[in-house]
Amino acid sequence: MALGILGWILVGLIAGAIGKAIMGDSMGIIPTLVVGVVGGLLGGWLGSVIFGKGTGGFFELSTWICAIAGTCILLGILGIFSRGSARAK
């Protein structure tokens, strides 16, 4: 059974914490969790576009891979922009 929006939000909260650990993010926990939710939704969407089908349920590996990958991508993009704005000052 595929996850709905609420399921992706829950997965995104957890993926945000994992993504923070992987990327060595320096943001606080609340902004990182928000990025995790957005990254989880992004990962779920990208997974369905790339693979042509929705991801699985909450306990399926593909769900977690998509959510964590989406979060890491988003954290990486935010890191690039935050470093660029720090150099401009």
Side-chain angles (χ1 to χ4, degrees), residues 3-15 33 36-38 40-41:
L3 291 175
I5 294 292
L6 293 176
W8 273 109
I9 289 172
L10 179 60
V11 168
L13 290 172
I14 298 167
L33 292 178
V37 170
V38 174
L41 293 170

Side-chain angles (χ1 to χ4, degrees), residues 32-65:
T32 302
L33 292 178
V34 170
V35 169
V37 170
V38 174
L41 293 170
L42 171 69
W45 177 76
L46 283 174
S48 66
V49 168
I50 292 170
F51 300 115
K53 62 177 184 162
T55 56
F58 188 81
F59 294 106
E60 291 190 27
L61 184 60
S62 62
T63 298
W64 290 98
I65 290 172

